[in-house]
Amino acid sequence: MKISEMLVREDFYTILEQTLSDNRETIHAMEAPISVTDASNDCTLFVNAQLNSIMTAHPSRDVVDYLKTEYNVSGGLLRRLMVRGYLTAATTFVKRFVQKGIKINFKTGVDKDNILIYPCNKKIRLFDFGKGMVYTMLKRDFPPLYIDRETKFRLEHKAPFIPEIAESGAGCYSEKIINGMPVARINDQAFVNRCKEQAYNLVISLTRSDNQVLAVDYMQELKNTCLEQLKQKKAFADSAIVACLFDTLLAVKPDEKLSLVVSHGDFQPGNIWWDKDKKQIVIIDWETVKLRSRSYDHAALYYNLRREGTEQQVIDSIKASSHIHSFIPMCSPESVAKIVMAEELAYQTEELISFPGDIGIKQYNKIIEKFKTLKI
C-alpha cells in the first residue's frame, strides 16, 4: 500500500511523525523534535507519496537501486518505460515531486543520503544502506499482534531462509538488508517457478509433528475465534452474517480430517526473495504465521488468493486440482475449498483487528459481500 492510499485511510503524516519520534533512539536520531511539515530547504527528508518513498534531496546509488528493484514492474514496454522514467525523474529532481518534508537530525556517523524510509501497511521501515541495516517500527497506536508474533517466531526459528533479527524491542526490530529482490520482480519465469516451489517446501519443513484434526472442529474453532475478534470492532455490526458464512462452510462430512502445518499466511511472490549474496531463497514478513491447512499457502502462492476478488477462481481451481486435493486426502475437493475459504475469512478477520479504530472496516465489508456470492 502506497502513502497516497494510506492518506485516504488514516492520519498518515501524524502517525509517521509520532512513530519516528517514538523510535528516535532506534533510528539513530538526535533528541531534537522530529516533525513532518511542508517541504522546505531546511528539511532533511522529503516525502513522495506516489513513489512511497522518503529520502534526501540527493539519494545515494543504493537508495535508487533499491527503488529500481521495487518498481521493476512487468507488463508492456510502454508501461515499463513510464515507470522507469518517473522513477529516474523522482530520484534525480526529488524536491519537484514531494508532498511533505521531515525535519530530523541524525546522529554523527549516519549518512543521510543513504537513508530511505519506506512506509508499509502497519509498519514503518527505515533503511540505512550505510550501515546495511533496516529498522522496522510498528505504527503508533496500531495493535502489536502481528509484530509481536513475527518477532517471536523469527527469534525462535533459526533457518537460512528466515532472516535473522539483529535486535528487538517493544514494537520494533532490526535486521540486515537483503541484497536481492522479490521473485515478483524477476522476469525469468522458469527461475521464479523453481523459487516458488522451493519456498513452499521450506515452509512445510518447519512442521515438526502431525497435528491431525477433524475438519468440522477446526473450522468451528476458526468461527469462534473470529466472532470473539469482531467484538473488538464496535463499528462492525454484521457479526451474525460472518457466523452464517462460517456455518455454510462448516457443511462438511463429520469424519473428514486434515493435518495442520506451519503456514506463512501471506505467501505471495513479493514475500519470497532471492538473496544474491548467499544464492538462496529468503522468506520475509512472517507476521501472519500460524498453523493452517497445507492447502492455504498453496492457494495464496499459486492461485493468487492474496489478490482482491479472486475467491471464486480459487474455489474453482481447488475443486479442479487433483494436486491440491492430495494435500488433504481425507477430504473431498469441495471440502478442501471450504476449508481454505474458512481460513481466508479468518485471515481477513484477524487483518481487521490489526488496525486501530475503524480502519479496515470498509475493506472488510467488501470482503464479506464478496463471500456472500461464493459458490462451492
Side-chain angles (χ1 to χ4, degrees):
M1 176 174 282
K2 294 181 179 180
I3 295 172
S4 54
E5 298 171 286
M6 286 184 255
L7 286 168
V8 177
R9 187 187 71 178
E10 63 195 52
D11 187 3
F12 172 75
Y13 288 127
T14 298
I15 293 171
L16 174 65
E17 180 178 292
Q18 292 172 337
T19 303
L20 294 176
S21 297
D22 290 345
N23 293 274
R24 183 185 290 107
E25 192 64 32
T26 299
I27 61 176
H28 307 296
M30 301 287 282
E31 287 298 321
I34 297 172
S35 61
V36 178
T37 182
D38 292 333
S40 61
N41 288 331
D42 59 345
C43 290
T44 310
L45 304 171
F46 300 91
V47 181
N48 183 320
Q50 188 60 37
L51 195 58
N52 199 52
S53 64
I54 304 172
M55 54 194 166
T56 67
H58 306 286
S60 70
R61 174 50 53 189
D62 286 334
V63 169
V64 175
D65 285 346
Y66 181 86
L67 291 173
K68 284 181 179 178
T69 296
E70 282 293 315
Y71 291 96
N72 182 32
V73 298
S74 57
L77 177 61
L78 180 59
R79 179 172 184 261
R80 287 184 280 122
L81 287 175
M82 289 177 63
V83 171
R84 181 55 62 92
Y86 179 83
L87 178 59
T88 300
T91 54
T92 304
F93 308 104
V94 173
K95 293 184 180 181
R96 296 185 185 181
F97 294 85
V98 302
Q99 286 71 43
K100 290 284 185 178
I102 301 179
K103 295 180 180 179
I104 177 173
N105 295 318
F106 289 103
K107 293 180 179 179
T108 303
V110 176
D111 182 354
K112 296 186 291 293
D113 290 341
N114 260 321
I115 296 293
L116 171 68
I117 297 179
Y118 202 81
C120 303
N121 205 9
K122 308 174 190 71
K123 301 175 286 192
I124 303 292
R125 284 186 169 133
L126 184 145
F127 292 82
D128 184 341
F129 289 95
K131 298 181 183 298
M133 300 295 292
V134 56
Y135 304 89
T136 299
M137 302 155 278
L138 180 67
K139 288 180 178 178
R140 164 79 82 87
D141 294 332
F142 276 56
L145 168 67
Y146 279 172
I147 198 166
D148 286 350
R149 179 188 296 167
E150 174 168 18
T151 302
K152 182 176 185 292
F153 177 83
R154 288 173 59 184
L155 289 174
E156 291 178 351
H157 291 78
K158 306 296 182 182
F161 61 92
I162 301 175
E164 183 178 357
I165 288 178
E167 294 183 6
S168 64
C172 65
Y173 62 84
S174 63
E175 60 190 310
K176 291 183 178 179
I177 295 173
I178 302 170
N179 179 27
M181 66 174 58
V183 299
R185 298 292 185 240
I186 297 175
N187 294 321
D188 183 342
Q189 195 56 51
F191 179 77
V192 169
N193 290 340
R194 290 195 299 271
C195 287
K196 288 165 66 174
E197 181 178 4
Q198 182 183 355
Y200 179 75
N201 290 329
L202 287 171
V203 175
I204 292 296
S205 73
L206 294 170
T207 303
R208 303 303 183 194
S209 59
D210 185 11
N211 304 288
Q212 196 170 95
V213 296
L214 288 171
V216 66
D217 289 347
Y218 172 55
M219 290 194 285
Q220 181 66 51
E221 184 177 347
L222 292 178
K223 172 187 173 181
N224 295 341
T225 300
C226 287
L227 295 180
E228 281 299 312
Q229 290 173 333
L230 288 174
K231 292 178 181 179
Q232 301 177 36
K233 290 286 184 178
K234 302 300 182 184
F236 180 75
D238 290 330
S239 294
I241 298 298
V242 176
C244 287
L245 290 173
F246 269 109
D247 288 341
T248 300
L249 296 170
L250 278 162
V252 299
K253 293 179 181 178
D255 60 343
E256 291 185 304
K257 296 180 179 180
L258 70 148
S259 294
L260 300 180
V261 300
V262 174
S263 162
H264 181 280
D266 191 15
F267 205 47
Q268 39 91 5
N271 287 332
I272 302 170
W273 279 60
W274 176 252
D275 188 321
K276 295 178 181 178
D277 292 336
K278 298 180 180 179
K279 300 293 188 295
Q280 66 180 35
I281 291 293
V282 176
I283 302 171
I284 67 169
D285 283 353
W286 292 88
E287 58 185 24
T288 55
V289 65
K290 60 169 52 178
L291 294 178
R292 297 184 183 90
S293 74
R294 185 175 174 183
S295 299
Y296 187 76
D297 276 357
H298 189 278
L301 184 60
Y302 289 102
Y303 300 152
N304 296 318
L305 181 59
R306 288 278 69 79
R307 187 178 299 168
E308 185 176 343
T310 61
E311 293 87 358
Q312 188 62 57
Q313 294 96 308
V314 170
I315 289 170
D316 295 340
S317 296
I318 291 174
K319 291 167 66 176
S321 170
S322 59
H323 180 59
I324 195 169
H325 177 234
S326 69
F327 298 155
I328 312 181
M330 290 176 283
C331 292
S332 69
E334 291 78 11
S335 293
V336 175
K338 289 176 180 178
I339 291 165
V340 171
M341 285 301 106
E343 291 173 319
E344 176 62 8
L345 186 51
Y347 176 97
Q348 295 296 345
T349 304
E350 187 172 84
E351 178 77 359
L352 173 64
I353 68 162
S354 70
F355 295 108
D358 295 342
I359 297 175
I361 289 179
K362 182 178 180 180
Q363 179 63 25
Y364 188 72
N365 278 325
K366 288 174 60 178
I367 291 167
I368 295 304
E369 289 303 312
K370 183 68 177 179
F371 263 78
K372 290 180 184 178
T373 69
L374 297 182
K375 299 176 182 178
I376 304 181

